[in-house]
Amino acid sequence: MDPIRNPYTPGAGAPPPELAGRDALCEQVRIALERNRIGRPAKSVLMVGLRGVGKTVLLDRMREVAEGAGIQSLRIEAPEGRSLPAILAPELRRALLRLSRNERARDLARRALRGLAGFARVLKVKYRDLEVGIDFEPEPGLADNGDLELDLQDLLEASGQAAREGGTALALFVDELQYVREIELAALIVALHRAAQRRLPVTLVGAGLPQLRGRMGKAKSYAERLFDFPEVGPLTPEAARLALEKPAGAEGVCFEEAALERIIGETQCYPYFLQEWGKHAWDMAEASPITLNDVARGAEVAIADLDASFFRVRFDRLTPSEKQYLRAMAELGPGPHRSGSIAQVLGREVQSLAPIRSHLISKGMVWSPSHGDTAFTVPLFDGFIRRMMPGADWRQP
Ligand SMILES: Nc1ncnc2c1ncn2[C@@H]1O[C@H](COP(=O)(O)OP(=O)(O)OP(=O)(O)O)[C@@H](O)[C@H]1O
Ligand SMILES: [Mg+2]
């Protein structure tokens, strides 16, 4: 059918035509933000889930809703290798400048901007990547100790006071939080904790891979009590149906029952895969309804596309020994797998593999659902690795 009218949107962070099955989670966050705005206690929300489950599009949607309700927000993504202060400061500045246009908040927002100036000036020494426009002279003693933990507290406190005065709230939307260094995570947790104790309207809505939960707990032991960690997983079969049928229906197109069932089975209801399968089934079909045969032919292209993009970008960042480790995991199936079993496949000692495993965790390729277990963070990655590294060659050192 006409590819121009194809409604499906596979792609990192690409908003789906129908954000299926996430209403309850969106509502949970909306309530938390509104409670926060009126000074009622509300936990910050950190969404955790595997690659491609829709964390980024959820964050964006939640932010849209918050902004629409007049909440001040900022949106950042923690990339590997950059510091939290460096990515936070410019966006916080923009939020504070917007806030300073609010009559009631103006003076306190300007004070927070003076805090930001002091923050940037002293922390630039430690965080060389920290660069931010300076609108005001620093205020001596405000967020300028040179200690991230203290200064971030001051800064979020001053920002929260401004937001409260303006009758609004400040919401920090942060993606890929698992990449933030532990000491910076700790500073963020402390600052949010302080704001919560003072009933200031500052909250975090974060997203990250499943290892995030453990990292937060390691950074500050009380973090697990301070935050909610809703899991974002594959959709239910009903939601997956909706994700496929509704966008097609809007174009006057439907699916054969067997076609839908095939997609649901092959994708295991993972959102990224649903978009990919939907897109290619549509392109294969001559006319409505989309048939089982369309899906079968589309699936081949869908898998090839995933291999070339979604899976590939991850694979290319690995060293040969990391690839070999993942290949050994794939040999055992989708997982999770015991460290001992993986070592056995490789004919090595568990201990000698520990550094490789921990690199894979910090790269966000695998995580540890429980002690001694290792699982892929990318759904269906085992199949991909077997396609990439077929035969027996991979066993060679
Ligand atoms: N609820 C949903 N219903 C249908 N499609 C969805 C849904 N959520 C996400 N998608 C689709 O899934 C794909 C992946 O979404 P997104 O990039 O937000 O995932 P992610 O969890 O952030 O992945 P990563 O961990 O790789 O960053 C996109 O193509 C998006 O359109
Ligand atoms: Mg994402």
Side-chain angles (χ1 to χ4, degrees):
M1 289 180 292
D2 184 359
I4 296 173
R5 302 199 68 86
N6 192 324
Y8 301 102
T9 56
E18 171 68 20
L19 187 67
R22 306 296 193 208
D23 291 353
L25 191 49
C26 289
E27 186 60 7
Q28 180 189 340
V29 167
R30 194 186 69 79
I31 291 172
L33 293 178
E34 289 299 344
R35 284 182 63 86
N36 190 244
R37 165 152 57 180
I38 60 169
R40 298 277 157 83
K43 285 184 176 180
S44 285
V45 174
L46 299 182
M47 301 181 282
V48 291
L50 301 181
R51 290 284 175 207
V53 290
K55 301 177 296 297
T56 299
V57 301
L58 266 171
L59 269 189
D60 286 336
R61 170 66 64 87
M62 289 165 177
R63 182 183 182 199
E64 259 170 47
V65 171
E67 287 272 321
I71 289 173
Q72 286 293 338
S73 72
L74 59 85
R75 169 82 164 84
I76 55 182
E77 175 176 332
E80 277 178 280
R82 280 195 66 201
S83 73
L84 180 69
I87 50 171
L88 182 64
E91 290 306 316
L92 185 61
R93 171 180 177 237
R94 286 172 45 174
L96 290 171
L97 285 171
R98 282 197 304 272
L99 196 55
S100 69
R101 284 190 230 121
N102 172 325
E103 192 89 32
R104 280 185 292 156
R106 187 195 295 130
D107 291 345
L108 285 174
R110 289 182 169 193
R111 176 164 186 271
L113 283 162
R114 290 198 293 277
L116 184 62
F119 180 88
R121 183 176 290 176
V122 294
L123 287 173
K124 177 124 195 61
V125 185
K126 239 186 255 167
Y127 300 95
R128 290 173 184 273
D129 54 346
L130 175 55
E131 263 169 48
V132 61
I134 303 289
D135 309 280
F136 296 96
E137 276 301 303
E139 176 178 314
L142 181 62
D144 65 353
N145 285 289
D147 175 295
L148 180 63
E149 200 162 301
L150 290 174
D151 293 341
L152 194 58
Q153 275 183 53
D154 277 4
L155 189 57
L156 288 194
E157 190 176 347
S159 307
Q161 284 164 344
R164 182 171 59 190
E165 201 60 30
T168 178
L170 180 67
L172 279 47
F173 291 87
V174 188
D175 205 0
E176 304 282 359
L177 252 181
Q178 77 282 346
Y179 286 140
V180 175
R181 267 180 298 187
E182 207 167 296
I183 161 169
E184 295 161 18
L185 267 186
L188 183 62
I189 295 166
V190 170
L192 288 164
H193 187 38
R194 156 91 84 99
Q197 282 172 331
R198 310 221 156 171
R199 296 283 163 90
L200 288 170
V202 180
T203 25
L204 170 68
V205 183
L209 293 174
Q211 49 261 58
L212 176 61
R213 191 179 178 141
R215 279 182 70 78
M216 296 289 284
K218 251 176 89 188
K220 282 285 166 202
S221 54
Y222 58 81
E224 301 212 32
R225 273 177 284 129
L226 211 54
F227 300 102
D228 271 329
F229 292 89
E231 272 174 40
V232 184
L235 301 182
T236 60
E238 297 73 52
R241 260 168 202 274
L242 189 70
L244 291 164
E245 285 188 300
K246 202 168 163 191
E251 299 290 334
V253 171
C254 62
F255 286 83
E256 271 182 0
E257 179 57 27
L260 272 181
E261 277 169 18
R262 170 70 73 92
I263 299 183
I264 286 173
E266 288 186 345
T267 60
Q268 294 174 25
C269 301
Y270 279 103
Y272 199 115
F273 304 149
L274 286 170
Q275 297 300 327
E276 198 79 74
W277 259 249
K279 173 177 186 242
H280 291 291
W282 173 289
D283 283 350
M284 287 297 168
E286 291 292 338
S288 178
I290 297 173
T291 65
L292 181 59
N293 185 40
D294 298 329
V295 172
R297 288 187 304 137
E300 286 172 27
V301 192
I303 291 171
D305 266 10
L306 288 173
D307 283 357
S309 58
F310 182 70
F311 292 128
R312 185 89 218 183
V313 290
R314 268 111 210 178
F315 190 71
D316 286 346
R317 298 160 59 240
L318 304 170
T319 65
S321 52
E322 289 165 355
K323 288 179 184 170
Q324 199 178 34
Y325 189 91
L326 295 177
R327 180 63 183 82
M329 282 175 67
E331 192 70 8
L332 296 163
H337 305 298
R338 304 293 303 164
S339 295
S341 320
I342 301 167
Q344 208 168 21
V345 174
L346 289 165
R348 299 262 304 266
E349 291 296 321
V350 173
Q351 279 311 313
S352 73
L353 293 167
I356 299 179
R357 180 174 180 270
S358 79
H359 276 133
L360 285 168
I361 291 177
S362 63
K363 283 187 178 175
M365 291 304 306
V366 302
W367 69 294
S368 182
S370 55
H371 187 72
D373 274 339
T374 308
F376 294 109
T377 58
V378 186
L380 310 186
F381 205 68
D382 59 313
F384 165 74
I385 290 267
R386 287 193 302 268
R387 290 193 292 280
M388 282 299 119
M389 302 168 76
D393 290 1
W394 64 272
R395 290 176 182 279
Q396 312 298 321

